[in-house]
Amino acid sequence: MTRTRTYAAWTAAATALLATAATTAFAQAQDGAPRPSASGIAWHACADADFKDMQCGAMSVPVDWSHPGAGRITLAMVRRPADDKAHRQGTLLLNDGAGGSSIEQLRLAVHAGLPAIGGDMTRKFDLVAVDPRGIGHSSPILCAQAPKPAGVSHFPKDQAAYDTLVRHNQSFAADCLRRNGPLVKHVDLTSTAKDFEAVRIGLGERQVNWYGIHYSTLLGRTYAKLYPGRLRTMVLDTALDDTTSPLERVKAEAATAETAFNRFVAWCEASKECALQGKDVAATYDALVAGADRDPIPTKGRAHEPLTGEDIREATQDYLNVSFLTWPELANAIVKATEKKDAADFSKGPDATDFTHDPDDTLDQVQVQVPACLDNARPVRTLAELTGLQEELARTAPHLGGAVRSYKAIAGCLGWPVPAQPVKAGAPVHGAPPALIVQSTHQALAPLSAGPAMAAQLPGSVVLSREGDDYSMFLVSTCVRDATNRYLTTTALPAPGTTCTD
């Protein structure tokens, strides 16, 4: 089943549920903050086999918290009850964010071994995966146009190409607004954090616990700032740093992704698991990109246009995120895309199809792009400024060229008609619990330095480093699991400077 069909089915079920539930479960104060008046979550037994013995829920919240009477949307969630109800310690909210479905992340965790590997997390806590507004199963933003179709470049070389990019961004935004209405203007961090306060109230919990991955580390920090005292614990996996300028952030991410690529190359040249073993992997990749820029490489499927080198570079970063799983997939994708044409069989030859989809299939690129245009300031407004940034990124990242998520947000939001609404970051957040921040030493999406930057905003927090290249580290590291479960159950943090090596 495609993601779109899955969303549609889930949304239809949620709508039916809410038709028989109280959809005015929250009164709003003048500041738009939710106030409890009744439980607003409609629960039913999940029919999905992956969520056997779990509860699927839906609740209604305002599209615009400052104007609660101007339309509503549905939030979807899945609850896995604690196994040891006699020693239950509360609810743990799971959130991925930035275009990623928390519900689908929970599905992946089930496939990866939950509850067997969960320990106290699954024994003593209800796990509640909530898809943020506009994402996954929660009134998803669905647009007809692609964020970057064929013929549009995020790395324009002249004024004509730059103008084409801006016109497309404006057309893409107009299409999204036409199909999704005002929701497109309200998928920012602050609106989403207010949703989670509504969820807490609907769950009937005085405090909740937070497990956030990547962009959701910013969402957790934003929630803690808006609602002091409402979080008991915060586990932040692969923290991001939004305390610096957008240009500094894209440069740091480009350098981090380039280092991750070089680590992939070193592994690939030495490992029998790599389809490119024995070859000059970096040179092979560079030749692939250069060749595709000259002559785009075919892909299979009627909806897939041939890919340019830029397309391949933009798809590479997410292949670097889980070394044991996606590094072999990246090597295979490169091999397929560099196969020579067969004169005797025209069906054989280069095939770049693997670069047309994200290896993390919980992500939707439209749902990544739209919130990015609200949550990030826009530091580039001219071709000259964008060209200067490109040149600097090319020096920092000669293989990937800086084709990372934060750069795509900058280029993809040029001409965006809805003003940005970035949160103010950097100051200490009062009323937040000391957090456990888990940061890989070599992660393609976030530098190690982002961990301390987040910890500085949450007094008393500790960064637990994990030697490696992965995120979602609870699933891959016994050391991280032990530290996380100890923190969740006792609030005890590891000693500062601790590093996990498994």
Side-chain angles (χ1 to χ4, degrees):
M1 179 179 289
T2 65
R3 284 174 58 97
T4 301
R5 288 174 60 199
T6 302
Y7 297 159
W10 194 289
T11 302
T15 301
L17 274 172
L18 289 171
T20 59
T23 60
T24 57
F26 301 94
Q28 285 78 37
Q30 290 183 351
D31 62 359
R35 296 289 185 265
S37 60
S39 176
I41 304 175
W43 295 104
H44 71 287
C46 295
D48 191 312
D50 284 336
F51 301 138
K52 186 176 184 293
D53 299 325
M54 301 186 202
Q55 299 166 314
C56 290
M59 75 180 308
S60 171
V61 295
V63 173
D64 180 355
W65 278 103
S66 62
H67 297 90
R72 304 183 73 83
I73 57 172
T74 298
L75 301 180
M77 60 199 78
V78 172
R79 177 165 62 184
R80 184 191 184 279
D83 291 326
D84 186 355
K85 293 178 176 55
H87 299 94
R88 178 184 177 276
Q89 288 188 252
T91 292
L92 179 63
L93 295 178
L94 307 178
N95 187 251
D96 191 29
S101 166
S102 308
I103 291 171
E104 297 306 317
Q105 281 281 335
L106 177 59
R107 186 191 306 279
L108 289 181
V110 169
H111 291 176
L114 280 185
I117 65 171
D120 281 338
M121 177 186 283
T122 47
R123 277 196 296 270
K124 297 184 178 180
F125 293 87
D126 293 349
L127 305 185
V128 178
V130 183
D131 276 0
R133 56 172 48 214
I135 291 172
H137 306 283
S138 290
S139 295
I141 291 176
L142 301 172
C143 308
Q145 297 189 35
K148 190 180 82 70
V152 173
S153 172
H154 283 159
F155 291 80
K157 301 304 181 187
D158 54 34
Q159 189 65 48
Y162 178 85
D163 292 342
T164 296
L165 169 62
V166 173
R167 283 196 301 270
H168 166 70
N169 292 345
Q170 292 168 336
S171 175
F172 171 66
D175 172 69
C176 291
L177 285 163
R178 185 166 53 252
R179 293 174 182 275
N180 302 278
L183 177 59
V184 170
K185 302 178 182 180
H186 298 288
V187 285
D188 56 287
L189 283 171
T190 300
S191 297
T192 306
K194 290 181 178 181
D195 291 346
F196 276 83
E197 175 65 355
V199 170
R200 181 195 67 79
I201 294 168
L203 291 169
E205 299 277 13
R206 185 181 67 84
Q207 288 185 314
V208 288
N209 303 274
W210 187 275
Y211 193 110
I213 301 173
H214 191 242
Y215 207 72
S216 182
T217 64
L218 304 182
L219 179 58
R221 189 264 334 263
T222 303
Y223 177 84
K225 183 177 180 179
L226 285 175
Y227 302 106
R230 297 305 190 190
L231 291 178
R232 174 181 168 271
T233 61
M234 296 177 72
V235 181
L236 304 180
D237 181 324
T238 312
L240 297 182
D241 179 10
D242 61 348
T243 64
T244 59
S245 73
L247 293 180
E248 290 174 322
R249 293 203 295 274
V250 70
K251 294 170 191 175
E253 186 181 349
T256 296
E258 188 76 4
T259 297
F261 177 81
N262 290 333
R263 287 172 60 83
F264 158 75
V265 168
W267 166 83
C268 204
E269 291 177 344
S271 174
K272 293 181 179 179
E273 296 179 39
C274 178
L276 291 164
Q277 187 196 21
K279 295 185 178 181
D280 186 331
V281 177
T284 301
Y285 180 85
D286 291 345
L288 167 64
V289 168
D293 276 332
R294 292 190 303 269
D295 183 14
I297 300 174
T299 59
K300 293 179 179 178
R302 283 178 291 178
H304 295 149
E305 299 286 343
L307 297 191
T308 65
E310 177 185 324
D311 296 325
I312 291 170
R313 285 191 290 120
E314 287 194 340
T316 298
Q317 184 185 23
D318 281 358
Y319 271 106
L320 300 171
N321 287 330
V322 185
S323 57
F324 70 91
L325 181 64
T326 57
W327 285 11
E329 291 179 355
L330 175 57
N332 290 334
I334 294 171
V335 168
K336 291 180 184 178
T338 54
E339 288 179 347
K340 293 183 179 180
K341 294 181 180 178
D342 189 331
D345 186 351
F346 291 105
S347 67
K348 296 181 180 179
D351 176 12
T353 303
D354 287 352
F355 289 105
T356 63
H357 62 85
D358 197 294
D360 181 353
D361 61 6
T362 70
L363 292 177
D364 183 294
Q365 291 306 318
V366 167
Q367 295 164 16
V368 171
Q369 184 67 40
V370 174
C373 291
L374 297 180
D375 288 329
N376 294 284
R378 299 169 197 169
V380 170
R381 299 192 180 276
T382 67
L383 172 62
E385 291 174 343
L386 190 63
T387 299
L389 176 59
Q390 291 173 23
E391 291 172 348
E392 189 165 356
L393 295 178
R395 291 190 293 270
T396 300
H399 299 297
L400 300 185
V404 293
R405 285 192 190 182
S406 52
Y407 177 84
K408 287 186 283 186
I410 289 173
C413 296
L414 288 166
W416 195 261
V418 182
Q421 306 170 37
V423 299
K424 292 182 179 179
V429 177
H430 302 291
L436 174 63
I437 300 168
V438 187
Q439 205 79 2
S440 278
T441 54
H442 302 96
Q443 223 294 309
L445 291 170
L448 181 61
S449 61
M454 178 63 76
Q457 300 171 75
L458 303 169
S461 298
V462 168
V463 178
L464 174 64
S465 301
R466 193 251 174 172
E467 185 66 39
D469 306 84
D470 309 318
Y471 70 171
S472 296
M473 286 168 275
F474 185 89
L475 298 179
V476 298
S477 167
T478 301
C479 173
V480 169
R481 281 199 294 275
D482 290 346
T484 298
N485 279 324
R486 187 180 308 112
Y487 169 65
L488 287 174
T489 54
T490 69
T491 72
L493 290 163
T498 301
T499 298
C500 289
T501 56
D502 70 343

